[in-house]
Amino acid sequence: MIAFRRATQSITRRAYSSCAPSATRFSINGDRLWNDIHETAKWSAPSPGGVTRLCADENDKKVRDWFRDQVLALGASYKVNATGTQFAHFEGKDNSIPPIAMGSHLDTVATGGRFDGPLGVIGGLEVLRSMKEQNVKTNAPLVLINWTNEEGARFFPLLGSSAVYAGQSSVEQAHASISTDNSALTLGSELAKIGYVGDGPNYFDEYPISAHFEIHVEQHTDLEKANKPVGWVEGWQGMTWYNVVFHGDDGHANTKPMWGRRDTLAASAKLITELENLAYEKHGYTTTTGIHSHPFGSCNIQSKTKVIFCLMHKETEGLEEMGEEIVKRIKSIAEMRGLEYDLKRDIHLLPANFWPEAVDCVKRACGDKGIGSRTGTGHDSTMTTLKVPTAMVFVRAKDGISHSAKEWSSKEDCTEGALTLGKAVLNFDELLKQKVASSAG
Amino acid sequence: MIAFRRATQSITRRAYSSCAPSATRFSINGDRLWNDIHETAKWSAPSPGGVTRLCADENDKKVRDWFRDQVLALGASYKVNATGTQFAHFEGKDNSIPPIAMGSHLDTVATGGRFDGPLGVIGGLEVLRSMKEQNVKTNAPLVLINWTNEEGARFFPLLGSSAVYAGQSSVEQAHASISTDNSALTLGSELAKIGYVGDGPNYFDEYPISAHFEIHVEQHTDLEKANKPVGWVEGWQGMTWYNVVFHGDDGHANTKPMWGRRDTLAASAKLITELENLAYEKHGYTTTTGIHSHPFGSCNIQSKTKVIFCLMHKETEGLEEMGEEIVKRIKSIAEMRGLEYDLKRDIHLLPANFWPEAVDCVKRACGDKGIGSRTGTGHDSTMTTLKVPTAMVFVRAKDGISHSAKEWSSKEDCTEGALTLGKAVLNFDELLKQKVASSAG
């Protein structure tokens, strides 16, 4: 189980009401950004309009190779770590300061759109290109990061490499991540196949960063309703992933009387129905994200069924209550049906806020183009925030649709998002410079 | 859809109160039968106490090769047809008469026991061996048949080769039978891999039989309750297999509000719960035998879910009512949740009786050792009965357990079952001889 702990160090918050001088002059090449988003979408399994680029598949290798070529052409020093994370490091004026990071992920879910998370990586790349062209040199070094297996789509658990970096998991655990299709493949075996098991750095302590900024599509409708292209993300709702395996009895599907059956699929159906009820009762969200039932065949009572589900709530108390309640109901279902079960809480992420000083840098970057919002899900930023000041830039998403080929943000909004990211980084760079100066003074 | 139609020809029923003379002297080598049941159980995937020998897997090849060697050693003329059915033909005194068949299947379900259906094939083999040793020569030829994919465990639909033989399906349809684990394998591709796609005969008309007799474990507790080792099977309960695929929308598992979701797994859970209710309401049985839900991943609302289920009822009216009712509920579930769906009724087998003249042969063979019973499921005999007089011998099953490693019948009961099979065949041979004599006279 990954139980996330926030680092305690913090830098003092300072009050700035507008952007850093370098940020006010900064601009973005929206055509190039838009072109790269759609060009790289070709590395996908067939998925009309969308992108299906599962972690460590052949298309993921292609987009990773492209990323490597792009950052090398920009003059980065480039590294791949053991969990496949790609780091593109660019020197600043003062290289004694840990770099300010921009990062997200180029892998997608099975039914992915073109924006979650490529916008975060390609948006960061566009910031670096524009800075170079505009001769904007930061005081701190910068690093652009392509994290691995953020989605947990092909391998579970999710937030694969950023959880390791933030000290919440290990390289070994990440490599052992199991295949969601119940096959024997692991993240480690498949990363090795595409040649993306590198030397490091793997953990924060081996390569600290000063902060982490990420653009992401909103996946909700707050910006759309407010008619704003961008937003600053104040925090996230809490979420918990469980998996339960019910164990019953084998039996003949046609001849076994209803009484005395120990049918794990019927029990699982009851659980899935209860999960839906729970969302109503507790004013949260619940989703059953997978089911695997055995044995295969057309004449068997199902004797082993695995159900994977997640609970979401904006409040800690609500999330904890939902968790306690569903654990009780699983116990009741098993008792009423004479089943054994194994229950695991895989991930438990309480709702919380990003670092105020980092959020403030995004807020100032947004200016009157943005509003404050919250994310309903986990991101690589919800891992880096355990270590260093972290904040996110949201980009308006049509109808809030995500993890779907229908996911869409306009060229103008993506451009505004990348601009906001660049400005936020420059704002933070200014903040860091002041801090260094004040501690020197 | 396989909608079964009974052939209309029948032979006149005659009244016999006891066994044919040759049957009264007949005996069985129970040690050899028992030894073969347990020896052949070694051809199995790991399954302590049970047998996992899925149709056309490597173990199925081994037991088929063994069967071939045994019947060739007994002097059979041997053929394999295009659906992998093995025929071992033995001449009688009058080879103008189509052979009397004994048959069942050597393949098992994934969680199979040692008796369903090897007892039927090995029991038939034991009858032939004992006849040879005891110099019992039938008037009609005999044939021992190992049918293919009776269980539908690895490939669907079930009753694979016997349905083709009975004209309810075709070789092409059987070869196209889909894998129950949702892989791309088919019965045809896997039979070819183990070298069991033969030349024929494939259909009844190419190789007619006079009758079909089968021993099977009861899979219920009527014999156990009556303290009888064997039984004659009067008929079967009705059963219908459906599969439904719900189509919804892709979406993000964490961020998508509960309202507006088109979640096919939640809909499927409702259906599975309704199926259980239906069994209570209509006094039948229902079983959900499989579920496949997509996309894989830990952050997706499930947008496509397939549910496979069967309905069972002793009465035609009850079975039809259950079918109509579940179709309505599927429609309601889809409408309430804004889903599309594809519904297919794959198999529809109304309850009916075996041929009285064949059942009578088994009844006389049982004598006071047996009682009448009914089967709750389909067998190869429920296919041959569409063409020719068919009957089954039941053997007492401990606690009625089947499709489980716990399936068990005693050596004494298996021996009694094989003896009953042999006597039933001899009784039918006598009946046929009288018929031929009477039509000649």
Side-chain angles (χ1 to χ4, degrees), chain A residues 369-415:
Chain A
K369 299 277 182 66
I371 58 163
S373 181
R374 300 185 72 79
T375 174
T377 186
H379 301 281
D380 294 311
S381 287
T382 44
M383 289 295 98
T384 60
T385 199
L386 302 172
K387 289 290 181 185
V388 294
T390 293
M392 295 180 71
V393 179
F394 261 171
V395 170
R396 175 164 51 186
K398 184 164 166 28
D399 299 326
I401 293 172
S402 186
H403 286 193
S404 162
K406 295 178 191 160
E407 189 178 84
W408 191 255
S409 294
S410 71
K411 178 180 164 186
E412 293 68 30
D413 290 0
C414 289
T415 307

Side-chain angles (χ1 to χ4, degrees), chain A residues 152 253-254 261 287 298-299 377 403, chain B residues 152 253-254 261 287 298-299 377 403:
Chain A
N254 304 136
R261 290 183 176 204
T287 309
S298 45
C299 267
T377 186
H403 286 193
Chain B
N254 304 136
R261 291 183 176 203
T287 309
S298 44
C299 267
T377 186
H403 287 194

Side-chain angles (χ1 to χ4, degrees), chain A residues 109-111 116 151-153 156 158 180-181 219-220 237 239 241 249-258 261 263 265-266 269-270 272-273 276 279 284-293 295-302 310 312 337 376-378 402-404 406, chain B residues 109-111 116 151-153 156 158 180-181 219-220 237 239 241 249-258 261 263 265-266 269-270 272-273 276 279 284-293 295-302 310 312 337 376-378 402-404 406:
Chain A
V109 295
T111 62
D116 171 13
E151 295 288 9
F156 190 84
L158 34 72
T180 55
D181 70 358
Q219 311 181 294
H220 209 269
Q237 79 173 341
M239 62 210 87
W241 269 263
D249 264 344
D250 295 321
H252 196 296
N254 304 136
T255 65
K256 172 87 180 162
M258 299 306 288
R261 290 183 176 204
D263 181 333
L265 182 50
K270 177 74 176 155
I272 295 168
T273 305
E276 216 176 31
Y285 299 171
T286 62
T287 309
T288 307
T289 58
I291 187 166
H292 299 286
S293 194
F296 294 129
S298 45
C299 267
N300 280 91
I301 293 168
Q302 297 291 287
C310 51
M312 285 68 68
R337 290 169 180 269
T377 186
S402 186
H403 286 193
S404 162
K406 295 178 191 160
Chain B
V109 296
T111 62
D116 170 12
E151 295 287 10
F156 191 82
L158 33 71
T180 56
D181 71 357
Q219 312 183 294
H220 209 271
Q237 78 174 340
M239 61 209 88
W241 269 262
D249 264 345
D250 295 320
H252 196 297
N254 304 136
T255 65
K256 172 85 181 164
M258 299 306 288
R261 291 183 176 203
D263 181 334
L265 182 50
K270 177 74 175 154
I272 295 168
T273 304
E276 216 176 31
Y285 298 171
T286 62
T287 309
T288 307
T289 57
I291 187 166
H292 299 286
S293 193
F296 293 129
S298 44
C299 267
N300 281 91
I301 293 167
Q302 297 292 285
C310 51
M312 284 69 66
R337 291 168 179 269
T377 186
S402 186
H403 287 194
S404 162
K406 294 179 192 159

Side-chain angles (χ1 to χ4, degrees), chain A residues 207-249:
Chain A
Y207 179 74
I209 53 177
S210 292
H212 187 268
F213 292 90
E214 180 173 9
I215 327 178
H216 207 280
V217 284
E218 189 195 4
Q219 311 181 294
H220 209 269
T221 53
D222 288 352
L223 302 188
E224 199 172 54
K225 283 176 186 158
N227 199 27
K228 295 287 184 183
V230 291
W232 58 91
V233 186
E234 289 166 347
W236 58 91
Q237 79 173 341
M239 62 210 87
T240 314
W241 269 263
Y242 288 90
N243 82 73
V244 60
V245 182
F246 289 110
H247 302 276
D249 264 344

Side-chain angles (χ1 to χ4, degrees), chain A residues 52-299:
Chain A
T52 299
R53 189 161 60 220
L54 293 172
C55 179
D57 74 3
E58 59 184 353
N59 290 300
D60 191 29
K61 173 178 166 41
K62 286 175 187 162
V63 80
R64 284 165 173 273
D65 291 350
W66 173 87
F67 175 85
R68 176 201 60 209
D69 296 346
Q70 297 303 311
V71 297
L72 288 176
L74 270 180
S77 52
Y78 169 79
K79 286 213 160 198
V80 177
N81 78 9
T83 57
T85 318
Q86 295 175 286
F87 294 94
H89 181 104
F90 298 86
E91 300 217 323
K93 293 177 195 159
D94 180 355
N95 292 304
S96 70
I97 306 172
I100 300 170
M102 295 179 283
S104 197
H105 58 97
L106 291 168
D107 61 357
T108 77
V109 295
T111 62
R114 297 183 165 204
F115 302 89
D116 171 13
L119 175 60
V121 178
I122 302 173
L125 179 65
E126 186 50 43
V127 166
L128 291 165
R129 287 167 170 167
S130 293
M131 281 183 176
K132 190 175 182 185
E133 285 167 357
Q134 295 161 41
N135 205 22
V136 176
K137 187 85 175 173
T138 52
N139 195 55
L142 299 181
V143 60
L144 178 61
I145 307 175
N146 175 30
W147 299 101
T148 297
N149 195 33
E150 194 264 354
E151 295 288 9
R154 188 177 180 203
F155 302 104
F156 190 84
L158 34 72
L159 303 172
S161 67
S162 54
V164 173
Y165 179 77
Q168 306 301 313
S169 178
S170 66
V171 170
E172 294 70 28
Q173 283 174 300
H175 280 183
S177 296
I178 57 168
S179 176
T180 55
D181 70 358
N182 242 8
S183 76
L185 304 179
T186 62
L187 175 59
S189 71
E190 298 317 285
L191 273 179
K193 257 180 222 165
I194 63 163
Y196 270 93
V197 178
D199 298 329
N202 299 316
Y203 299 98
F204 175 80
D205 292 345
E206 295 169 31
Y207 179 74
I209 53 177
S210 292
H212 187 268
F213 292 90
E214 180 173 9
I215 327 178
H216 207 280
V217 284
E218 189 195 4
Q219 311 181 294
H220 209 269
T221 53
D222 288 352
L223 302 188
E224 199 172 54
K225 283 176 186 158
N227 199 27
K228 295 287 184 183
V230 291
W232 58 91
V233 186
E234 289 166 347
W236 58 91
Q237 79 173 341
M239 62 210 87
T240 314
W241 269 263
Y242 288 90
N243 82 73
V244 60
V245 182
F246 289 110
H247 302 276
D249 264 344
D250 295 321
H252 196 296
N254 304 136
T255 65
K256 172 87 180 162
M258 299 306 288
W259 184 84
R261 290 183 176 204
R262 298 173 68 221
D263 181 333
T264 58
L265 182 50
S268 298
K270 177 74 176 155
L271 169 59
I272 295 168
T273 305
E274 287 297 319
L275 277 163
E276 216 176 31
N277 296 341
L278 193 66
Y280 283 99
E281 292 164 19
K282 301 290 180 185
H283 198 60
Y285 299 171
T286 62
T287 309
T288 307
T289 58
I291 187 166
H292 299 286
S293 194
H294 297 271
F296 294 129
S298 45
C299 267

